Amino acid sequence: MLKRKSELGLPLFKPASLQDVPREQRPAVEETYVASAREVGQRFLDDGDIPSVDVLQGDQRSGAGAGGDRRTAHRHRRGEDSEQILRIALYEGVHPARGLQMMLRQHGTCSTITSLDQSFPNLSQEQRQECAG
């Protein structure tokens, strides 16, 4: 981000901020921001560090995690980090329906219903319908 802002002649005080970026230069800076997040996210995934990917909160346009490689995340799904993955999927809203499936398998019906009830206010209508299904 620092390099891209420097190339565009923008202030370097807050490299990750978009507040000081004029409208006409935003697409270029945002593109760099997304590419950087994907690169860092992929490195976390490659290292099997799923909880750190949470910081980057998946890229909604690609439908994959910040690293962009859904298959890598899937490989780690059954590992010892399952509670952290469950937390990220359900409570952080990355994939609530998958989080509920994991919760049901690992903790049973009562805990799953309670978790869903607590999560509902933070879910979109589409996510609520998917979870209810």
Side-chain angles (χ1 to χ4, degrees):
M1 290 296 295
L2 193 61
K3 180 180 176 187
R4 186 63 168 153
K5 281 188 160 186
S6 176
E7 291 170 353
L8 295 170
L10 297 170
L12 304 177
F13 182 69
K14 294 181 180 178
S17 175
L18 297 174
Q19 292 177 341
D20 57 358
V21 179
R23 178 174 284 205
E24 63 275 0
Q25 292 177 310
R26 263 189 191 230
V29 176
E30 288 173 348
E31 182 179 308
T32 300
Y33 190 90
V34 170
S36 298
R38 285 183 176 158
E39 180 181 342
V40 170
Q42 188 61 54
R43 289 181 184 191
F44 283 135
L45 287 172
D46 291 344
D47 289 343
D49 188 357
I50 304 290
S52 293
V53 177
D54 178 42
V55 173
L56 303 173
Q57 287 278 329
D59 178 359
Q60 297 300 315
R61 287 175 292 183
S62 70
D69 187 350
R70 193 170 263 200
R71 291 167 299 178
T72 305
H74 182 75
R75 277 199 310 263
H76 298 286
R77 190 175 71 196
R78 296 182 190 267
E80 59 190 44
D81 294 328
S82 64
E83 285 297 317
Q84 291 173 324
I85 295 169
L86 188 153
R87 178 186 57 80
I88 292 166
L90 178 59
Y91 298 113
E92 310 262 342
V94 172
H95 198 303
R98 174 125 343 131
L100 282 174
Q101 291 170 347
M102 292 176 68
M103 178 72 123
L104 188 59
R105 279 194 311 271
Q106 295 174 16
H107 299 283
T109 305
C110 291
S111 293
T112 302
I113 291 171
T114 300
S115 295
L116 178 60
D117 186 49
Q118 293 170 352
S119 300
F120 247 52
N122 301 319
L123 302 177
S124 68
Q125 183 65 27
E126 181 180 312
Q127 289 171 322
R128 289 176 184 177
Q129 289 174 339
E130 186 178 4
C131 289

